[in-house]
């Protein structure tokens, strides 16, 4: 779990680097790109965990995102927990193909951003209509994140293969030690 959390944290750092390259303009007619590589890494990692572990991990990263990126109070924390719950429900019906992983990430980004838009609309923090929101904010965000998720899925597979080979090596060494112990009797 520590390696997964470290990987997600590094993806959030990449998000912050991307946000420096593509700064957000708050002009009404500008297109906005929100890098969600860390969020996608979180979503893809949550598929491996049970509900309680997934909710705790998502809550921790939701708080992290609230305080260091969004400067909001508990909005992303609640959204990340809801997304963790949805991912735990959806994972029963999915395999781990690249196509389904990309669809899962794009869908969860859309759901998260849609819920965030609804919250901001209820709190009267935005004046964008749904059409303007989708064209100016969501379209570019979903398109560019879909391209990045393809690379992310490959990186996650490399990380998981490395962790699996490391675990196999440790188990093999344990078996050898156990055999040495039995041969001394």
């Amino acid at each position: 779990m520590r390696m997964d959390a470290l990987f997600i944290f590094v993806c959030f750092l990449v998000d912050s680097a991307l946000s420096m390259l593509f700064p957000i303009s708050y002009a009404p007619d500008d297109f906005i790109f929100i890098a969600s590589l860390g969020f996608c890494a979180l979503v893809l990692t949550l598929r491996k965990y049970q509900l309680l572990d997934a909710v705790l991990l998502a809550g921790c990263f939701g708080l992290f995102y609230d305080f260091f990126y969004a400067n909001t109070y508990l909005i992303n924390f609640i959204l990340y927990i809801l997304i963790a719950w949805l991912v735990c429900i959806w994972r029963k019906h999915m395999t781990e193909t690249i196509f389904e992983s990309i669809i899962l990430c794009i869908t969860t980004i859309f759901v998260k951003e849609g819920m965030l838009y609804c919250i901001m609309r209820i709190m009267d923090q935005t004046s964008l209509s749904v059409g303007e929101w989708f064209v100016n904010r969501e379209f570019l965000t979903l398109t560019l994140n879909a391209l990045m998720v393809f690379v992310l899925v490959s990186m996650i597979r490399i990380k998981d293969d490395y962790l699996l080979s490391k675990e196999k090596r440790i188990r093999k060494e344990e078996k050898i030690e156990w055999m040495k112990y039995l041969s001394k009797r």
Side-chain angles (χ1 to χ4, degrees), residues 46 53 68 75 80 84 109 115 119 158 164:
L46 291 177
D53 294 333
F68 293 107
I75 292 175
Y80 278 37
I109 289 172
M115 288 190 296
I119 290 171
I158 291 169
L164 184 64

Side-chain angles (χ1 to χ4, degrees), residues 28-32 128 131-138 140:
D29 294 335
D30 285 348
F31 292 107
I32 299 173
L128 291 175
E132 290 173 331
W133 165 76
F134 185 78
V135 170
N136 293 349
R137 183 179 172 114
E138 278 305 291
L140 191 60

Side-chain angles (χ1 to χ4, degrees), residues 135-174:
V135 170
N136 293 349
R137 183 179 172 114
E138 278 305 291
F139 180 73
L140 191 60
T141 298
L142 293 176
T143 306
L144 293 179
N145 279 313
L147 298 173
M148 292 189 311
V149 166
F150 182 75
V151 174
L152 180 68
V153 169
S154 302
M155 291 172 43
I156 286 177
R157 288 188 175 186
I158 291 169
K159 175 191 65 95
D160 289 342
D161 289 343
Y162 170 74
L163 290 176
L164 184 64
S165 68
K166 184 178 174 182
E167 183 180 334
K168 284 181 180 178
R169 188 177 60 239
I170 290 171
R171 287 184 186 214
K172 184 178 179 182
E173 290 173 2
E174 287 175 351

Side-chain angles (χ1 to χ4, degrees), residues 7-24 33-42 61 64-65 69 80 109 112 144-145 148-149 152:
F7 183 76
I8 295 167
F9 180 74
V10 168
C11 289
F12 273 111
L13 291 178
V14 171
D15 279 346
S16 65
L18 286 172
S19 68
M20 288 181 203
L21 293 174
F22 302 103
I24 295 175
F33 167 65
I34 306 294
S36 298
L37 204 59
F39 178 73
C40 292
L42 178 67
F61 278 104
F64 173 75
Y65 192 81
Y69 290 98
Y80 278 37
I109 289 172
K112 177 187 74 98
L144 293 179
N145 279 313
M148 292 189 311
V149 166
L152 180 68

Side-chain angles (χ1 to χ4, degrees), residues 56-144:
L56 289 175
L57 186 66
C60 288
F61 278 104
L63 282 175
F64 173 75
Y65 192 81
D66 271 334
F67 291 127
F68 293 107
Y69 290 98
N71 294 326
T72 58
Y73 183 68
L74 297 179
I75 292 175
N76 286 297
F77 172 75
I78 294 168
L79 292 177
Y80 278 37
I81 288 176
L82 288 173
I83 293 295
W85 179 70
L86 286 174
V87 167
C88 288
I89 290 172
W90 289 344
R91 75 170 173 219
K92 298 174 187 174
H93 309 289
M94 302 179 76
T95 60
E96 293 197 18
T97 63
I98 292 176
F99 179 71
E100 286 185 354
S101 297
I102 291 171
I103 294 297
L104 174 68
C105 288
I106 297 306
T107 304
T108 53
I109 289 172
F110 181 76
V111 169
K112 177 187 74 98
E113 291 291 328
M115 288 190 296
L116 184 62
Y117 172 75
C118 290
I119 290 171
M120 292 298 171
R121 191 73 178 178
I122 289 169
M123 294 172 56
D124 204 25
Q125 296 292 318
T126 185
S127 61
L128 291 175
S129 68
V130 175
E132 290 173 331
W133 165 76
F134 185 78
V135 170
N136 293 349
R137 183 179 172 114
E138 278 305 291
F139 180 73
L140 191 60
T141 298
L142 293 176
T143 306
L144 293 179

Side-chain angles (χ1 to χ4, degrees), residues 172-183:
K172 184 178 179 182
E173 290 173 2
E174 287 175 351
K175 184 178 178 182
I176 292 172
E177 291 295 323
W178 181 252
M179 296 302 269
K180 286 179 186 178
Y181 176 72
L182 287 177
S183 65

